[in-house]
Amino acid sequence: MTGYGRGSGSEPWHPEDPLYGDQGWRGQQADAQQYYQQPQAQHQQQHQAPYGEQQQYQYQEYAGQNGQQYDGGWDSGQQTAMPYGTPPGPADPYGGQRPDLYGTPEAYPPPQPPGRRRAPEQRPAHDEPQQYQEPEEENHPFFSDGDDDRDEDRGPGSDEPAGTRRERRDQSKKSKKTKKRKSRNGVACLVVALVLVGGAGGVAYFGYQFWQSRFGEAPDFEGTGTAETVQVEIPQGAGGYEIAAILVKNGVVKSQGAFVSAQDKNPRGKLIQAGVYTLKKEMSAASAVDLMLQPSSRNSLVIPEGKRNSWVYAEIDKRLGVKSGTTATVAAKKAANLGLPEWATGHPEVKDPLEGFLFPASYPVAKGTKPEDVLKKMVARANAEYGKVDLEGKYKGLGLKNPWELLTVASLVQAEGKTDDDFRRMSEVVYNRLKPTNSETNQLLQFDSAFNYLQGESNIDISESEINSNQDPYNTYTQRGLTPGPISNPGLVALEAAMNPTKDGWMYFVATDGMNKTEFAKTHAEFLKLKDKFNDSKGRD
């Protein structure tokens, strides 16, 4: 026979199995009551019954359940005896010496009918499992109203019935629970309200900040500032917001927005240049813009295109308030440590290794700055600008030996020319005269500006006898080829012209008016006509 939840085997379930005879409530009640009413000897005898009798017992058990052989069930309190006794079991493998675990009713008490069941709190530990009870609500001081469950209205000697007191206590408990829930709900509402108020405040704050940044006026100081002054350095290429950030950091203006707005409203606001400015603390943005546009507030040195290093050194001395010649001495002694590129070093016979590297621009030069630091900034700017125009790559297609020679050509045309067209034609003159096939001048450049450089002058009226007798390497009337190095600091226009000369065959040029007008010639005959024109302008025969 196959039992429920078991597989088929050589013998049915043993009567000692706790699940034996699990046939519902009534079957369990009848079987357990009949089983515990039998004497001990009969119980042991039936345990040793043969296998056939067990089958008969199981059949009778099945018939007893399905036939419902009882009279009135639990409701009448009477039970019809089952037609069978305790089910016999298989032979005892221990020879009858094993103790009977079911000898007393207390070992396995029969189940109780529904009407006689005790309350869960009165049941023994081994009885049926208790029904689920809702846990009592925690009486936390935060949610409590300060009352407890004690019956304070009635003392121990009260003649009020116990049931009435119990009902009143239950009613009090319900009332207190309602109060607790209300108190808890009130606290929760308060927390939510605080969160909403805080969130609304945050939204309002950030909303105001957004509106202020987009539509409101930026914070600003009033007036022209305090008596306290400060020096502010504006770097090259700085825009409005970058300038404003520097001014805010130094306490000059109150906000970037105010300065940029004032700069936009001023017609000349975009003309603020790099340099060191002496400004006042806590200025209005409009006052700061006006003052920065005044040359008197600017402690910057502006190097024009074509200026020689000697002029730059003298200007630096003046700006720094140091003894004349101080910067020139520093340049001569520390030239190798000022940042020159490798291709600009090691050239013999140069008068100034920094010539051509004090790039024409505006530089902050304020008192207290070291000359060495000022020179480093200028050399660094020159390196950056020469890198932009690819000086190191362009010389190769022009018949030159290195970038140093290209920079020298640019310095020559910068010193001689007056316009962009002059620069390109003069560049062609240089390249044509450097050619080995030049039979017109035999590779002599014959530039007056080079002679003036070696003389430290700017005199355009030079006698032929003076020029022809001088054998200085910088004298292009007596020395073939280029000068040992640049003779000025060329600007970007002259550099571009040196890299892109005209191709018209120009070999000569003359400043026919002695100052601003330059004319060009391709042959020596044409040159002589231009020379006569120059002499006429000077009143010469």
Side-chain angles (χ1 to χ4, degrees):
M1 179 177 177
T2 300
Y4 179 80
R6 309 275 264 189
S8 58
S10 59
E11 62 179 359
W13 289 352
H14 199 279
E16 294 179 0
D17 192 327
L19 297 180
Y20 181 83
D22 185 10
Q23 299 127 0
W25 168 252
R26 288 183 173 82
Q28 292 177 10
Q29 184 265 346
D31 180 31
Q33 184 172 359
Q34 182 70 20
Y35 178 79
Y36 288 113
Q37 291 176 355
Q38 294 181 2
Q40 177 72 14
Q42 183 181 357
H43 174 71
Q44 294 180 355
Q45 181 180 359
Q46 289 178 351
H47 267 272
Q48 299 175 359
Y51 180 71
E53 294 181 6
Q54 293 180 26
Q55 290 182 335
Q56 182 179 2
Y57 163 74
Q58 291 173 0
Y59 174 79
Q60 292 173 351
E61 177 188 15
Y62 177 81
Q65 290 183 10
N66 291 275
Q68 300 181 356
Q69 299 179 18
Y70 62 89
D71 184 10
W74 294 109
D75 295 338
S76 61
Q78 298 179 0
Q79 177 181 358
T80 304
M82 302 300 293
Y84 52 82
T86 303
D92 189 352
Y94 297 93
Q97 299 300 321
R98 186 177 58 175
D100 187 1
L101 301 178
Y102 301 92
T104 62
E106 289 76 8
Y108 199 153
Q112 297 294 328
R116 300 180 183 177
R117 293 177 183 173
R118 288 175 292 180
E121 63 273 7
Q122 297 175 350
R123 294 178 185 173
H126 56 268
D127 206 347
E128 294 181 3
Q130 298 182 1
Q131 298 295 326
Y132 171 77
Q133 296 182 2
E134 183 178 357
E136 292 187 3
E137 190 172 4
E138 182 181 1
N139 188 17
H140 195 282
F142 182 74
F143 299 103
S144 176
D145 57 0
D147 297 335
D148 54 19
D149 294 338
R150 292 178 298 179
D151 188 1
E152 298 178 356
D153 296 337
R154 292 285 183 176
S158 174
D159 58 354
E160 183 180 6
T164 304
R165 290 199 304 271
R166 185 180 301 110
E167 291 176 1
R168 188 168 57 83
R169 186 169 57 252
D170 293 342
Q171 185 66 26
S172 177
K173 288 183 178 180
K174 292 180 180 179
S175 176
K176 292 177 181 179
K177 289 183 179 179
T178 303
K179 291 181 180 180
K180 292 176 182 178
R181 292 193 186 99
K182 290 181 179 180
S183 176
R184 185 181 304 175
N185 292 338
V187 173
C189 292
L190 178 59
V191 172
V192 171
L194 290 175
V195 171
L196 292 177
V197 170
V203 170
Y205 173 78
F206 288 107
Y208 171 78
Q209 292 294 326
F210 176 82
W211 180 88
Q212 184 71 16
S213 63
R214 295 294 186 274
F215 309 106
E217 294 185 1
D220 196 3
F221 291 124
E222 295 182 0
T224 58
T226 65
E228 183 180 359
T229 61
V230 61
Q231 286 190 340
V232 178
E233 181 177 349
I234 304 301
Q236 186 70 30
Y241 277 98
E242 186 176 355
I243 296 174
I246 296 173
L247 298 182
V248 170
K249 182 179 179 180
N250 286 273
V252 177
V253 298
K254 194 169 186 178
S255 67
Q256 289 179 268
F259 180 84
V260 173
S261 177
Q263 189 182 30
D264 292 339
K265 292 177 182 179
N266 192 308
R268 299 176 59 246
K270 301 297 183 181
L271 299 179
I272 296 177
Q273 300 179 9
V276 177
Y277 294 83
T278 301
L279 304 173
K280 297 180 179 180
K281 290 273 192 175
E282 299 183 5
M283 302 180 68
S284 69
S287 298
V289 172
D290 291 340
L291 186 57
M292 295 181 76
L293 291 172
Q294 298 178 16
S296 59
S297 68
R298 189 177 174 196
N299 299 324
S300 298
L301 172 60
V302 179
I303 302 177
E305 291 85 348
K307 289 294 183 180
R308 302 171 186 166
N309 280 7
S310 57
W311 180 90
V312 178
Y313 296 149
E315 289 298 316
I316 293 176
D317 289 343
K318 293 178 182 179
R319 298 281 178 170
L320 298 181
V322 296
K323 183 179 178 180
S324 178
T326 301
T327 303
T329 302
V330 172
K333 292 181 178 180
K334 298 184 178 182
N337 301 322
L338 298 178
L340 291 173
E342 185 177 356
W343 55 263
T345 60
H347 301 286
E349 299 180 332
V350 294
K351 294 187 179 299
D352 186 346
L354 292 183
E355 195 75 63
F357 275 89
L358 304 184
F359 189 81
S362 177
Y363 299 94
V365 182
K367 291 184 178 180
T369 307
K370 294 181 179 179
E372 180 179 355
D373 294 336
V374 177
L375 295 175
K376 283 183 178 179
K377 289 183 179 180
M378 295 178 177
V379 173
R381 178 68 181 275
N383 287 329
E385 297 295 339
Y386 297 159
K388 291 178 182 178
V389 299
D390 192 20
L391 204 66
E392 295 187 53
K394 295 291 182 66
Y395 77 90
K396 298 177 182 179
L398 299 171
L400 301 174
K401 297 178 181 179
N402 47 51
W404 180 255
E405 289 190 344
L406 179 55
L407 181 60
T408 301
V409 172
S411 71
L412 288 168
V413 301
Q414 178 75 72
E416 290 281 357
K418 300 295 186 293
T419 66
D420 294 353
D421 290 338
D422 289 350
F423 292 154
R424 293 194 66 206
R425 287 187 230 180
M426 287 179 182
S427 295
E428 184 184 1
V429 170
V430 172
Y431 292 129
N432 286 337
R433 291 196 176 194
L434 289 176
K435 291 179 181 179
T437 57
N438 173 23
S439 59
E440 292 282 340
T441 64
N442 296 318
Q443 298 180 334
L444 293 174
L445 295 182
Q446 298 178 332
F447 273 38
D448 291 345
S449 56
F451 186 81
N452 285 334
Y453 178 79
L454 71 90
Q455 292 289 89
E457 300 176 353
S458 297
N459 183 15
I460 197 173
D461 190 6
I462 306 172
S463 65
E464 292 184 10
S465 60
E466 182 182 3
I467 291 177
N468 294 331
S469 63
N470 189 304
Q471 299 298 316
D472 190 276
Y474 280 84
N475 185 2
T476 57
Y477 280 91
T478 59
Q479 307 298 318
R480 294 180 179 181
L482 294 170
T483 55
I487 64 171
S488 70
N489 291 286
L492 290 176
V493 176
L495 285 167
E496 292 288 348
M499 291 184 286
N500 296 281
T502 59
K503 298 179 181 181
D504 299 327
W506 304 116
M507 288 289 293
Y508 302 91
F509 64 88
V510 177
T512 55
D513 66 349
M515 186 62 65
N516 298 318
K517 185 178 180 180
T518 303
E519 297 185 58
F520 293 83
K522 297 179 182 178
T523 64
H524 189 261
E526 293 176 349
F527 165 70
L528 292 177
K529 293 180 180 179
L530 294 177
K531 185 177 180 181
D532 291 339
K533 191 175 181 177
F534 169 76
N535 289 330
D536 291 342
S537 66
K538 293 292 183 181
R540 298 175 183 175
D541 295 334

